[in-house]
């Protein structure tokens, strides 16, 4: 059984996610994805550190790689919000849904977690 504290946290997260979805011009998934991209570009504090949490067969990044994320690059209908990031001196684009923010206490962690929950359940 969930505690009332975890219920209120879940409800707050759902409320934040609904607020972003309501900003979209239409209920179309692509429009909502673009809205997420614009919202995150405005709300995230760049740069921030993240860890690759999802492995994609194609691409040079691997699970556990530590990256510095420095902007939202685009919204893709298949991979979602794509962010520009660096690993050491090399620049990459990577789906935000496959990253986990290192500083779990930051506002960025909450924003990315909200987006990841929406993306996984869209």
């Amino acid at each position: 059984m969930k505690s009332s504290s975890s219920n209120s946290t879940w409800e707050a997260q759902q409320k934040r996610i609904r607020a972003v979805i309501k900003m979209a011009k239409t209920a179309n998934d692509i429009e909502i994805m673009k809205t997420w991209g614009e919202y995150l570009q405005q709300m995230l504090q760049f740069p921030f550190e993240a860890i690759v949490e999802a492995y994609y067969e194609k691409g040079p990044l691997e699970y556990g790689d530590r990256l510095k994320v420095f902007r939202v690059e685009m919204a893709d209908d298949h991979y979602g919000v794509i962010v520009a990031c660096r690993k050491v001196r090399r620049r990459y684009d990577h789906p935000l849904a496959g990253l986990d923010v290192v500083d779990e206490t930051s506002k960025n962690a909450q924003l990315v977690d909200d987006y990841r929950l929406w993306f996984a359940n869209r």
Side-chain angles (χ1 to χ4, degrees):
M1 186 170 143
K2 286 186 175 180
S3 71
S4 61
S5 175
S6 64
N7 280 339
S8 64
T9 302
W10 171 254
E11 290 168 4
Q13 185 174 38
Q14 292 300 309
K15 186 176 180 180
R16 291 189 306 267
I17 290 169
R18 283 192 301 273
V20 175
I21 293 169
K22 285 181 182 179
M23 287 189 270
K25 294 173 185 161
T26 68
N28 178 300
D29 261 2
I30 294 171
E31 185 64 35
I32 295 170
M33 189 72 67
K34 288 178 184 177
T35 300
W36 270 108
E38 293 165 2
Y39 174 76
L40 291 168
Q41 179 63 37
Q42 291 175 1
M43 300 301 291
L44 289 168
Q45 296 175 349
F46 297 100
F48 64 91
E49 290 189 1
I51 294 176
V52 176
E53 283 285 312
Y55 170 75
Y56 296 92
E57 285 187 35
K58 295 180 180 182
L61 299 174
E62 297 179 6
Y63 181 84
D65 282 349
R66 194 174 187 113
L67 310 172
K68 184 167 281 198
V69 179
F70 54 94
R71 79 172 166 269
V72 170
E73 197 63 26
M74 64 180 282
D76 177 83
D77 61 340
H78 182 69
Y79 291 105
V81 173
I82 307 296
V83 292
C85 49
R86 289 196 182 278
K87 177 183 170 191
V88 189
R89 292 182 174 214
R90 301 223 35 196
R91 185 193 173 290
Y92 302 97
D93 291 337
H94 196 275
L96 183 60
L99 300 178
D100 196 20
V101 177
V102 171
D103 181 359
E104 295 176 1
T105 63
S106 71
K107 184 176 180 183
N108 284 352
Q110 178 185 8
L111 290 163
V112 172
D113 189 51
D114 290 351
Y115 166 72
R116 288 175 56 167
L117 180 65
W118 171 80
F119 185 79
N121 294 293
R122 72 187 195 287

